[in-house]
């Protein structure tokens, strides 16, 4: 990214922040991790799973209350229970077990516009379009790094239960680009195919004052990856990620 583009984005973002009211939020997150690789017939090859409390992290976001640019960043880290098999052998799923350290970072940038659906302002429909970047480091005695950029389109419906409490439902569709998996055992890089997914969020927010509120949210995130081509006699098989995250945080409006 050249300096002129960085300067343009900075000026654009600065003008939006100046023109619109914003909120900055931080939350503590815990994730129920569920990842599975399958063969061409749908049989399990390996899984990474962990319940809430084992994979934890934080989310930071800067979001307009109505219209403007938004930024978001999240990071989680923790151990999952690995159950696997050995490709190209007779060893079945379950023959290999262990503990894997995982790190997942996700970063988003885009534009949000809010439609008011009634005269009283109880019903709001936020619409978001942007881009993101996801990076997952999986430590199996060696490192596997899955990363990709993605296009992100979302829509939501939020309802004010009272003057101090609101609930919402948000859904985002995500289509990846430049999706790859890099591993440092043999030094191979696999181009991942047809990587797409979605995220569903259910936030509940309670105002503590005119400028400060607390919130909890449930998030379900799904990713699909189709098998890669063979590299050096190896390939990355079909896989799915079905992660659930619970968040508890604070939001400051300014």
């Amino acid at each position: 990214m050249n300096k002129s583009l960085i300067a343009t984005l900075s000026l654009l973002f600065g003008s939006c922040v100046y023109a619109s009211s914003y909120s900055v939020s931080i939350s503590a997150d815990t994730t129920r991790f569920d990842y599975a690789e399958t063969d061409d017939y749908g049989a399990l090859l390996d899984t990474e799973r962990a319940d809430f409390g084992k994979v934890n992290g934080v989310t930071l976001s800067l979001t307009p209350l109505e219209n403007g640019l938004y930024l978001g960043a999240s990071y989680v880290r923790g151990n999952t229970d690995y159950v696997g098999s050995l490709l190209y052998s007779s060893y079945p799923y379950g023959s290999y077990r262990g503990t894997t350290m995982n790190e997942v970072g996700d970063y988003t940038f885009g534009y949000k516009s809010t439609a008011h659906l009634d005269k009283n302002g109880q019903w709001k429909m936020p619409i978001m379009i942007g881009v993101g970047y996801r990076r997952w480091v999986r430590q199996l005695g060696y490192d596997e790094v899955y990363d990709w950029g993605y296009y992100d389109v979302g829509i939501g419906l939020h309802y004010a239960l009272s003057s101090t409490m609101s609930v919402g439902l948000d859904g985002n569709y995500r289509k990846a680009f430049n999706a790859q998996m890099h591993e440092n055992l043999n030094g191979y890089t696999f181009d991942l195919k047809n990587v797409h997914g979605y995220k569903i969020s259910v936030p509940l927010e309670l105002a503590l004052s005119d400028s400060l509120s607390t919130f909890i949210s449930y998030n379900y995130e799904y990713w699909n990856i189709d098998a890669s081509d063979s590299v050096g006699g190896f390939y990355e098989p079909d896989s799915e990620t079905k992660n659930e995250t619970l968040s508890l945080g604070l939001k400051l409006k300014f």
Side-chain angles (χ1 to χ4, degrees):
M1 186 178 292
N2 59 42
K3 293 182 178 180
S4 61
L5 180 56
I6 294 175
T8 301
L9 290 175
S10 299
L11 287 173
L12 180 60
F13 185 71
S15 63
C16 286
V17 170
Y18 181 78
S20 177
S21 296
Y22 268 72
S23 68
V24 59
S25 66
I26 182 171
S27 68
D29 308 327
T30 183
T31 296
R32 174 181 285 165
F33 210 93
D34 186 352
Y35 172 78
E37 294 182 352
T38 56
D39 64 17
D40 294 340
Y41 303 98
L44 285 173
L45 295 174
D46 66 30
T47 55
E48 300 277 2
R49 288 176 177 150
D51 208 346
F52 292 121
K54 294 185 177 181
V55 180
N56 305 308
V58 63
T59 295
L60 296 169
S61 65
L62 179 66
T63 308
L65 301 183
E66 296 291 336
N67 308 307
L69 297 177
Y70 66 84
L71 292 170
S74 66
Y75 173 83
V76 296
R77 175 185 172 94
N79 291 330
T80 58
D81 297 322
Y82 172 80
V83 180
S85 60
L86 186 62
L87 288 172
Y88 315 112
S89 77
S90 60
Y91 293 101
Y93 170 75
S95 56
Y96 292 84
R97 295 177 181 270
T99 300
T100 304
M101 172 61 74
N102 297 269
E103 296 181 7
V104 182
D106 196 282
Y107 312 92
T108 56
F109 169 80
Y111 186 83
K112 169 189 170 184
S113 180
T114 303
H116 293 257
L117 304 182
D118 68 324
K119 295 181 179 180
N120 297 324
Q122 285 184 291
W123 289 96
K124 295 182 179 181
M125 179 182 291
I127 299 172
M128 307 174 79
I129 182 168
V131 293
Y133 172 72
R134 188 177 194 268
R135 184 176 187 270
W136 171 30
V137 180
R138 183 187 186 202
Q139 298 177 339
L140 297 162
Y142 62 95
D143 288 351
E144 292 184 347
V145 180
Y146 299 75
D147 73 327
W148 54 76
Y150 60 87
Y151 304 107
D152 190 16
V153 179
I155 189 170
L157 188 62
H158 291 225
Y159 178 69
L161 297 169
S162 68
S163 60
T164 59
M165 184 178 293
S166 65
V167 65
L169 176 64
D170 300 292
N172 293 65
Y173 173 75
R174 295 168 168 182
K175 177 64 176 178
F177 57 88
N178 295 334
Q180 294 183 323
M181 190 277 276
H182 318 270
E183 54 87 12
N184 62 8
L185 180 63
N186 299 297
Y188 295 143
T189 295
F190 301 89
D191 291 326
L192 305 176
K193 296 183 178 180
N194 192 29
V195 180
H196 64 274
Y198 60 86
K199 182 178 180 180
I200 297 173
S201 301
V202 182
L204 178 65
E205 183 174 341
L206 175 65
L208 303 177
S209 68
D210 290 341
S211 59
L212 184 65
S213 61
T214 184
F215 64 90
I216 58 173
S217 66
Y218 167 82
N219 307 281
Y220 178 84
E221 185 178 29
Y222 172 84
W223 284 102
N224 171 86
I225 301 173
D226 287 349
S228 71
D229 291 331
S230 177
V231 177
F234 298 92
Y235 74 98
E236 179 67 12
D238 294 332
S239 63
E240 289 184 320
T241 300
K242 303 175 182 178
N243 290 349
E244 300 174 76
T245 299
L246 298 176
S247 301
L248 174 63
L250 289 172
K251 180 183 292 186
L252 177 66
K253 299 176 184 178
F254 61 92

